[in-house]
Amino acid sequence: MKELGKRLQTIVDFVKPDQRVADVGCDHAYVSMELAEKKNCTVIAMDIAEGPLAIAKENIYGQMLDKKIETRLSDGLTELKSGEVDAVVIAGMGGHLIVDILKAGADRLRPGMQLVISPHSDLRLVRYSLRKMNIFIEQEACLSDAGKWYFILNCTVGLKLPGEVPEEDARADMLYGTWLPQHPTPEFIEYLEWEAKGLEDLIRSLEKQKTPAARARKGSLQKQLEENRQIRASLNIGQEIT
């Protein structure tokens, strides 16, 4: 079987064993197969595109895992029945799309269900939307894989879906969450330093521009840099990035 990279392996590691799992946007089913083989999960491998799903089916049969993995053509959670799985994995797509999938399929989620989410973008929107939907982030991983940074969220659906969550609560900790600042890993610290350097470079570049758009963008980046500095200060990480 194809060896998983760090990101996909971390997703697999987060999923609890012996569960019924929906792998949404399964692509070629590498995560589905690893879950079936190493975590003793039964999996519904779902994708919106017929091409990747056909390749997934070939891979599954090639590993003789067709008794444990079913493939299903589905737009998000559309073709998943309520109560059919214990956990949902959504990875390999942007944060806006992940939020849309969760909102559209909210009736397929149930209290206590595990969600493992790996957005490629819009992480702040994802954290905000999860909180508004009464879905709790229990653990996070920050890692670099193939030259890109990824955050992987291990979540649990709350008792009420959606819950009545105050806007102020939903917007708190959108940028870095609460898990990683409280349980900092070497990778998260490296990410903070990398991000701070990039933000400082962008701010210096924008200072040369005199347009209203550049000033607005600079102000937004400065707020983000200040949050970064506050997190690094709380972790006793050096404040000046050179």
Side-chain angles (χ1 to χ4, degrees):
M1 187 184 298
K2 178 182 172 68
E3 183 176 348
L4 300 182
K6 288 169 60 178
R7 179 179 67 92
L8 296 183
Q9 187 59 58
T10 302
I11 291 169
V12 171
D13 291 343
F14 271 164
V15 176
K16 299 171 186 176
D18 307 311
Q19 294 195 100
R20 301 168 299 165
V21 182
D23 182 7
V24 180
C26 67
D27 196 39
H28 296 168
Y30 297 128
V31 166
S32 297
M33 291 188 293
E34 192 77 3
L35 288 171
E37 267 207 335
K38 303 293 177 61
K39 290 297 189 82
N40 193 38
C41 292
T42 57
V43 185
I44 303 173
M46 311 170 77
D47 205 283
I48 192 173
E50 293 184 1
L53 203 62
I55 296 173
K57 187 174 294 187
E58 289 180 7
N59 291 337
I60 291 164
Y61 274 89
Q63 295 295 321
M64 295 181 290
L65 291 169
D66 52 293
K67 300 297 184 184
K68 300 189 72 170
I69 306 174
E70 172 192 346
T71 58
R72 191 176 295 179
L73 191 67
S74 179
D75 182 357
L77 296 169
T78 303
E79 299 304 319
L80 186 71
K81 300 179 180 66
S82 180
E84 197 171 14
V85 295
D86 310 302
V88 174
V89 172
I90 311 179
M93 60 191 77
H96 273 280
L97 181 53
I98 288 175
V99 169
D100 288 345
I101 287 171
L102 290 174
K103 287 182 176 179
D107 58 337
R108 275 80 166 177
L109 307 179
R110 58 180 177 77
M113 176 181 282
Q114 183 184 23
L115 304 180
V116 179
I117 300 170
S118 178
H120 281 357
S121 62
D122 305 301
L123 186 59
R124 281 180 282 187
L125 172 68
V126 171
R127 287 202 181 101
Y128 167 83
S129 301
L130 291 175
R131 189 71 185 90
K132 291 294 283 186
M133 293 182 69
N134 207 36
I135 297 171
F136 299 94
I137 300 172
E138 306 285 357
Q139 186 180 3
E140 285 195 42
C142 171
L143 57 90
S144 178
D145 190 11
K148 296 181 180 180
W149 285 100
Y150 297 98
F151 287 79
I152 301 168
L153 317 180
N154 184 12
C155 313
T156 302
V157 178
L159 295 178
K160 295 181 180 179
L161 183 68
E164 295 296 327
V165 178
E167 189 72 11
E168 183 178 352
D169 291 350
R171 291 189 176 278
D173 306 308
M174 284 172 59
L175 190 54
Y176 301 109
T178 57
W179 172 267
L180 284 167
Q182 294 174 7
H183 307 84
T185 61
E187 292 85 357
F188 181 57
I189 292 171
E190 183 182 350
Y191 169 80
L192 290 172
E193 294 176 330
W194 170 86
E195 181 189 57
K197 175 68 164 58
L199 289 170
E200 289 173 353
D201 289 346
L202 280 171
I203 289 169
R204 281 193 290 268
S205 175
L206 288 168
E207 285 172 347
K208 301 174 184 177
Q209 305 176 34
K210 306 302 180 183
T211 65
R215 287 195 295 270
R217 176 66 172 153
K218 177 186 170 186
S220 175
L221 293 175
Q222 285 175 326
K223 289 180 181 179
Q224 186 173 345
L225 179 59
E226 181 57 33
E227 285 194 56
N228 178 292
R229 286 173 170 166
Q230 290 174 3
I231 293 291
R232 285 188 289 131
S234 72
L235 300 177
N236 296 316
I237 302 172
Q239 289 300 287
E240 295 302 323
I241 303 297
T242 58

